[in-house]
Amino acid sequence: MADEERNQMILLELVKQPHNSVCVDCGAPDPEWASYNLGVFVCFNCAWIHRNLSNKVKSIKLDTWEDSMVETMKSNGNAKAREVFEKAVPYYFYRPLPNDSTVLREQWIRAKYERLEFTGETKYPPPSYTRGFYEGLLWKKGKEKTQFNQRKFVLSETEFTLTYYTDDTEIKAPKAVIHIKDLNAMFQPEKIGHSHGLQLTYQGEHCTRNIYVYHENSEDIVTWFNCLRAVRFAYLKTAYPTGSNDELIPMITRNYLKEGYMEKTGPLQSETFRKRWFVLDAQTRKLFYYKSPLDAEELGAIFIGPGKNNYSVKECVPKSARGNKWKYGVTVDTPKRQYIFMCEEEKEQKEWLSALQQVVLRRMLCNTSCES
């Protein structure tokens, strides 16, 4: 057997081992690439980030491997790498998933292998997300306008607040003081139109408020994200003192279950259909709808309760609907009203049905109902 063929067979056996069978950085299954200076198996997307960091990367199946490279892979592997490079990852620090944005994946990899932030060694100065306070300038979209302007943001763990100012000297009163209790953060690069776009959402006085921001520097925007997560985690530890870390971590920040356009008609189902941007938040069990994706405030919100409380979701083709341009219908039944939505494509219809059904099947965590 040729050395090349033998080496490939060894690699294919190594990558089948449980700790090597997922990407060491994002957890994607069946990685087909490897970094032979680090001795780790990675997916295609993470491999290209490693290559940009000058790590030595090869395809397991397509490239030629020398004996010394294979020996490095045999003596290392994902489990050993995690013991070294992930020895002291803070509970709140976000670990990217396979479908997460590139900026999250890149900065996680840089933090692990380039900045060595999680080896357990004392860092000076300490990472910003460990300090309980952070401030800086972010580009923020205006509430009514599409233009982004620089605004000063100040995050305080002592006060459990995020404050922003229109004047970076802080001479003027703050534009908003947001309690960390109600704050969520999620990366939305495509929606915002910037690869570092971050959406901040919180409960305002009468509605849910959205703020859209970005920073030109990828490390800075991910630092902001993890600083917000650190303060959120500190708040949750105070609000739920008996909650375990495993219970609290999913509550720190969350992505929406589904977003996209659908057409919506009124309660009589004879009103004109209007195109709206819909957002499904599984944690609050709310289906929000907006006139456009970057609106600061919702037009309305529909509470999606559990099936045992007479909530249901099904495919439909409404007979009495008028004016709809799209043909693939979704019906949401609640104790108070039936809602009819139309999707442009069957694929979108199936995705909305699946997402809404997931919420209907979820157990209620409290007895409050917020239908509007």
Side-chain angles (χ1 to χ4, degrees):
M1 182 185 296
D3 290 347
E4 181 179 339
E5 184 179 352
R6 185 189 70 248
N7 285 339
Q8 186 177 80
M9 288 183 64
I10 293 172
L11 290 169
L12 291 174
E13 286 302 314
L14 286 173
V15 82
K16 291 178 183 177
Q17 296 177 4
H19 53 277
N20 293 331
S21 63
V22 297
C23 174
V24 71
D25 295 316
C26 74
D30 304 318
E32 295 187 354
W33 293 73
S35 169
Y36 57 89
N37 63 308
L38 296 171
V40 296
F41 293 90
V42 294
C43 68
F44 174 80
N45 290 324
C46 290
W48 284 102
I49 295 173
H50 276 279
R51 183 163 285 174
N52 289 335
L53 268 61
S54 299
N55 285 325
K56 308 300 183 182
V57 178
K58 280 180 176 284
S59 167
I60 296 171
K61 297 180 179 179
L62 303 178
D63 291 326
T64 301
W65 286 74
E66 299 175 7
D67 291 349
S68 59
M69 300 173 186
V70 175
E71 286 301 316
T72 299
M73 300 306 301
K74 286 169 65 177
S75 60
N76 290 280
N78 291 1
K80 284 190 177 181
R82 289 192 181 102
E83 289 175 4
V84 174
F85 297 107
E86 298 183 27
K87 182 179 180 180
V89 182
Y91 284 108
Y92 53 78
F93 199 97
Y94 188 80
R95 297 169 180 260
L97 299 173
N99 294 325
D100 277 328
S101 61
T102 301
V103 68
L104 272 173
R105 192 193 309 262
E106 177 198 350
Q107 288 304 314
W108 166 246
I109 291 172
R110 287 186 178 276
K112 280 174 63 175
Y113 308 108
E114 188 177 67
R115 300 194 292 269
L116 301 176
E117 292 182 13
F118 313 127
T119 59
E121 299 175 3
T122 302
K123 300 291 182 182
Y124 187 82
S128 300
Y129 48 79
T130 65
R131 302 177 194 173
F133 180 87
Y134 197 60
E135 63 180 346
L137 298 176
L138 291 171
W139 289 94
K140 174 188 172 294
K141 179 185 173 297
K143 182 178 179 181
E144 305 295 340
K145 300 179 181 179
T146 59
Q147 183 178 354
F148 282 77
N149 296 291
Q150 278 198 325
R151 297 290 182 255
K152 182 172 184 178
F153 285 76
V154 178
L155 176 67
S156 170
E157 183 177 313
T158 303
E159 303 294 331
F160 286 136
T161 57
L162 175 68
T163 305
Y164 76 89
Y165 302 81
T166 55
D167 185 337
D168 61 14
T169 64
E170 301 182 34
I171 295 176
K172 297 181 180 179
K175 184 67 174 179
V177 179
I178 305 163
H179 197 284
I180 210 73
K181 169 182 179 292
D182 302 314
L183 186 67
N184 184 44
M186 70 190 87
F187 276 91
Q188 296 272 31
E190 293 182 6
K191 184 175 177 179
I192 294 173
H194 194 285
S195 58
H196 305 160
L198 189 66
Q199 178 175 343
L200 307 177
T201 301
Y202 65 96
Q203 187 59 45
E205 186 176 354
H206 302 294
C207 65
T208 301
R209 179 79 163 84
N210 299 312
I211 295 177
Y212 305 97
V213 299
Y214 69 85
H215 197 290
E216 293 291 357
N217 183 279
S218 60
E219 183 179 347
D220 283 349
I221 196 63
V222 176
T223 296
W224 267 108
F225 182 62
N226 281 302
C227 285
L228 289 166
R229 285 180 58 86
V231 176
R232 275 280 298 167
F233 185 63
Y235 166 77
L236 291 170
K237 295 288 281 187
T238 302
Y240 305 98
T242 61
S244 68
N245 290 332
D246 288 342
E247 291 171 326
L248 298 181
I249 288 170
M251 299 168 60
I252 300 176
T253 57
R254 63 192 184 277
N255 292 330
Y256 289 137
L257 190 56
K258 170 73 177 166
E259 288 188 77
Y261 280 112
M262 290 192 290
E263 292 181 330
K264 176 184 179 297
T265 187
L268 300 178
Q269 299 181 14
S270 59
E271 297 90 342
T272 302
F273 272 84
R274 298 186 185 278
K275 183 179 176 182
R276 296 290 183 248
W277 180 263
F278 285 84
V279 168
L280 181 59
D281 186 344
Q283 184 166 304
T284 62
R285 308 188 72 106
K286 286 185 176 180
L287 180 64
F288 298 96
Y289 55 96
Y290 303 84
K291 188 173 182 180
S292 61
L294 294 182
D295 285 355
E297 299 175 354
E298 82 268 15
L299 296 174
I302 302 162
F303 181 76
I304 311 293
K308 68 176 185 179
N309 291 359
N310 297 319
Y311 289 82
S312 66
V313 180
K314 61 180 181 290
E315 182 179 340
C316 74
V317 181
K319 295 180 181 179
S320 59
R322 294 186 307 160
N324 56 298
K325 297 179 181 178
W326 296 342
K327 306 300 180 184
Y328 300 96
V330 174
T331 296
V332 175
D333 285 305
T334 79
K336 295 182 179 180
R337 177 182 160 185
Q338 183 181 75
Y339 294 86
I340 301 292
F341 310 108
M342 303 302 291
C343 302
E344 184 176 16
E345 299 177 353
E346 186 177 10
K347 178 177 178 291
E348 279 288 300
Q349 178 198 44
K350 300 301 183 187
E351 289 178 359
W352 276 112
L353 287 168
S354 175
L356 289 162
Q357 191 64 29
Q358 287 183 52
V359 178
V360 169
L361 293 174
R362 284 188 63 177
R363 181 174 59 89
M364 282 283 288
L365 299 180
C366 64
N367 294 323
T368 57
S369 178
C370 315
E371 187 172 355
S372 62

